[in-house]
């Protein structure tokens, strides 16, 4: 992995040095400062190794929820370089690091409207319709949906993405259609956190090479999972196999857009190295964003998948099916934005591993209001409710059912 990152960095540097003296470059520095006061009645946060569904530990907190910085350089020949870093000082896990770093190319459209693009480096798969603001933040809510909370935590990689898009304006059409194919490495453990703490509501993006705490699962202590380290490394390559992601998108200018795709990390689920298991994780998804009357945005996404982790002899240690879906309504007028999001999520445990029941079912509700004080500066208040049934809580001395509530007040400054 380190060698590949080094090679990518060299390629990026050579391209920059090769064009900087002869081709004009446009550079942009942007970011987000999010200072937040939070109160919740949850259990210990999943970030701390608990089974609480929220990012922050229970009771009151004042935090730097996100300090994000994005640098982008665009050259006239279609090459672009992009690096995103994030910092957190949240009383749970304070850290600073890189979340994305890639080199891209976007060609000029052909006479009939076709355009080729490519991207290589560390990046998110093109899935989210919600996290579309600077540094992969959401302009709608403080806490991401359960789908995008999981993407922020575990679903990132080193990859190569190639896309082909047809621009409708070349044929007097309001419709754009695109297709992307992606191959990648460094995400063999994806699925571990979804299995062992379930779906969450978070606003924290895992930093590259950051490790994630696991809860006190009884099977980790002398059971079937005894070989697992007490932390998960989410961006690790264990089996030297390429994963893939294919997706399509359609945009109707002035109306809305839709996307759909299939993601498969193609991991060998029998591999375990240095306390980390490989998980075969696959999912399909579909989503859309549509403009309704009265300046209302409607966003919806649905994800359905499975994840499998086996012993070296082929015994199914963790075998889960999972799903999540949300609908979001957001209205912006003058200096105000009001957003409502409802979600349904679940995991079905299909293995027979003792003391590791990952089954859960639940719903989540979010109500968020933002007021723009001046350009780039917003005050935002939010209420989150998660109603879930999770069997693993019993093994850790808790009730299987939890009704968790969270209140947040943030000052967010985009620059």
């Amino acid at each position: 992995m380190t060698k590949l990152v080094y090679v990518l960095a060299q390629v990026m540097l050579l391209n920059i040095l090769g064009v900087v003296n002869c081709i004009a470059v446009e550079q942009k520095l942007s970011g987000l400062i999010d200072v937040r006061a939070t109160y919740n009645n949850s259990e210990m946060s999943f970030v701390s190794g608990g089974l609480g569904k929220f990012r922050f530990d229970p009771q009151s907190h004042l935090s730097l929820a996100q300090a994000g910085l994005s640098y982008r350089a665009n050259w006239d020949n279609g090459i672009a370089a992009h690096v995103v870093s994030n910092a957190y000082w949240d009383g749970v896990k304070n850290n600073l690091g890189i979340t994305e770093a890639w080199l891209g190319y976007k060609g000029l459209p052909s006479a009939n409207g076709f355009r080729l693009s490519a991207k290589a480096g560390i990046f998110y798969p093109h899935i989210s319709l919600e996290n579309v603001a600077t540094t992969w933040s959401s302009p709608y809510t403080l806490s991401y949906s359960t789908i995008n909370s999981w993407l922020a935590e575990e679903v990132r990689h080193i990859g190569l993405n190639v896309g082909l898009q047809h621009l409708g304006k070349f044929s007097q059409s309001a419709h754009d259609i695109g297709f992307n194919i992606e191959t990648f490495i460094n995400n063999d453990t994806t699925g571990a956190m979804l299995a062992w703490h379930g779906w969450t509501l978070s606003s924290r993006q895992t930093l590259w090479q950051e490790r994630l705490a696991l809860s006190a699962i009884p099977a980790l202590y002398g059971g079937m999972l005894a070989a697992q380290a007490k932390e998960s490394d989410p961006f690790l390559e264990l089996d030297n196999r390429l994963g893939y992601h294919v997706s399509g998108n359609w945009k109707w200018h002035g109306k809305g857009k839709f996307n759909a795709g299939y993601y498969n990390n193609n991991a060998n689920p029998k591999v375990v190295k240095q306390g980390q298991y490989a998980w075969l994780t696959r999912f399909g998804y579909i989503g859309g964003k549509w403009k309704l009357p009265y300046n209302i945005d409607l966003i919806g996404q649905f994800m359905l998948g499975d994840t499998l982790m086996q012993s070296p002899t082929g015994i199914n240690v963790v075998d889960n099916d999972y799903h999540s879906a949300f609908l979001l309504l957001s209205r912006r007028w003058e200096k105000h934005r009001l957003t409502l999001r409802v979600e349904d999520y679940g995991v079905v445990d299909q293995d027979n591993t003792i003391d590791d029941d990952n089954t859960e079912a639940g719903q989540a509700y979010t109500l968020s209001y933002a007021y723009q004080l001046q350009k780039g500066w917003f005050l935002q208040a939010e209420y989150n409710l998660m109603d879930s049934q999770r069997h693993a809580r019993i093994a850790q001395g808790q009730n299987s059912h939890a009704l968790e509530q969270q209140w947040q007040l943030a000052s967010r400054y985009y620059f």
Side-chain angles (χ1 to χ4, degrees):
M1 178 196 72
T2 304
K3 289 182 179 179
L4 182 55
V5 173
Y6 179 67
V7 170
L8 288 170
Q10 283 187 315
V11 171
M12 184 180 294
L13 182 60
L14 288 172
N15 275 275
I16 291 172
L17 293 177
V19 299
V20 71
N21 291 323
C22 57
I23 301 176
V25 58
E26 179 185 350
Q27 302 181 73
K28 182 179 181 181
L29 192 66
S30 59
L32 167 65
I33 303 295
D34 183 338
V35 178
R36 198 177 303 184
T38 307
Y39 175 84
N40 69 60
N41 67 348
S42 179
E43 295 291 337
M44 184 173 68
S45 167
F46 68 91
V47 179
S48 300
L51 290 176
K53 292 294 187 182
F54 297 128
R55 167 185 174 179
F56 300 97
D57 283 335
Q59 304 305 315
S60 301
H61 296 276
L62 181 63
S63 65
L64 177 61
Q66 182 179 4
L69 187 64
S70 172
Y71 169 77
R72 186 178 180 106
N74 293 286
W75 286 268
D76 286 349
N77 61 358
I79 293 175
H82 191 207
V83 179
V84 179
S85 63
N86 275 290
Y88 309 106
W89 190 267
D90 53 18
V92 179
K93 193 173 184 180
N94 309 323
N95 220 330
L96 165 68
I98 297 295
T99 49
E100 294 184 81
W102 51 262
L103 182 70
Y105 171 78
K106 182 177 289 187
L108 293 174
S110 66
N112 52 7
F114 286 96
R115 182 170 65 190
L116 186 68
S117 62
K119 180 165 69 172
I122 300 169
F123 53 84
Y124 285 99
H126 295 289
I127 296 175
S128 180
L129 297 173
E130 181 185 35
N131 292 58
V132 294
T134 301
T135 64
W136 210 79
S137 61
S138 170
Y140 304 103
T141 58
L142 298 177
S143 293
Y144 314 151
S145 65
T146 51
I147 288 176
N148 291 296
S149 293
W150 181 47
L151 297 181
E153 184 178 33
E154 280 197 297
V155 188
R156 216 173 319 149
H157 47 241
I158 293 177
L160 171 65
N161 179 292
V162 178
L164 180 65
Q165 186 178 33
H166 181 262
L167 304 176
K169 65 181 181 180
F170 283 79
S171 55
Q172 290 73 53
S173 171
H175 304 278
D176 295 342
I177 299 175
F179 176 79
N180 286 267
I181 185 166
E182 192 171 300
T183 186
F184 53 82
I185 57 174
N186 286 81
N187 72 337
D188 286 341
T189 64
T190 297
M193 303 309 293
L194 181 58
W196 287 334
H197 65 48
W199 296 101
T200 64
L201 279 189
S202 178
S203 56
R204 193 181 192 282
Q205 303 172 50
T206 302
L207 307 175
W208 194 256
Q209 295 187 338
E210 185 176 27
R211 294 197 168 202
L212 305 174
L214 301 179
S215 66
I217 304 166
L220 288 174
Y221 302 90
M224 287 287 289
L225 301 174
Q228 169 68 44
K230 301 307 181 287
E231 292 182 315
S232 178
D233 188 337
F235 312 125
L236 196 63
E237 183 56 39
L238 296 171
D239 60 8
N240 298 316
R241 289 163 55 161
L242 294 173
Y244 64 92
H245 172 216
V246 293
S247 63
N249 57 83
W250 167 52
K251 181 177 182 179
W252 187 355
H253 288 274
K255 298 290 185 180
K257 56 185 176 181
F258 295 88
N259 67 359
Y262 176 74
Y263 189 97
N264 187 335
N265 74 348
N266 193 36
N268 180 353
K270 297 180 182 179
V271 172
V272 55
K273 295 179 181 177
Q274 300 178 351
Q276 301 291 333
Y277 287 90
W279 296 63
L280 175 60
T281 298
R282 306 170 295 189
F283 58 82
Y285 62 90
I286 187 170
K289 178 179 179 180
W290 198 255
K291 291 187 178 295
L292 300 177
Y294 303 104
N295 203 29
I296 297 174
D297 288 334
L298 170 64
I299 302 176
Q301 286 192 282
F302 172 72
M303 177 182 287
L304 179 68
D306 56 56
T307 187
L308 174 67
M309 184 266 279
Q310 298 177 316
S311 70
T313 59
I315 298 173
N316 289 357
V317 180
V318 180
D319 184 5
N320 293 336
D321 293 339
Y322 55 87
H323 80 272
S324 183
F326 75 85
L327 283 176
L328 179 151
L329 287 169
S330 183
R331 182 170 188 260
R332 186 175 182 179
W333 71 103
E334 297 177 351
K335 295 184 177 183
H336 311 271
R337 180 187 287 276
L338 183 65
T339 302
L340 172 67
R341 185 180 63 217
V342 296
E343 308 182 54
D344 182 85
Y345 56 88
V347 177
V348 178
D349 190 322
Q350 303 197 98
D351 60 74
N352 296 314
T353 300
I354 298 173
D355 291 330
D356 183 41
D357 189 345
N358 307 133
T359 299
E360 79 169 6
Q363 293 78 41
Y365 306 90
T366 296
L367 181 64
S368 193
Y369 168 74
Y371 178 78
Q372 184 174 358
L373 292 172
Q374 60 185 53
K375 184 180 180 180
W377 188 10
F378 300 85
L379 289 181
Q380 191 159 352
E382 183 167 300
Y383 170 73
N384 309 110
L385 171 66
M386 294 195 79
D387 185 358
S388 63
Q389 188 83 24
R390 183 169 178 83
H391 296 175
R393 294 190 180 110
I394 298 175
Q396 298 187 36
Q398 305 173 23
N399 293 326
S400 62
H401 177 256
L403 188 66
E404 299 165 272
Q405 299 180 78
Q406 179 173 253
W407 294 262
Q408 301 183 86
L409 180 63
S411 173
R412 309 178 86 196
Y413 181 68
Y414 285 94
F415 59 90

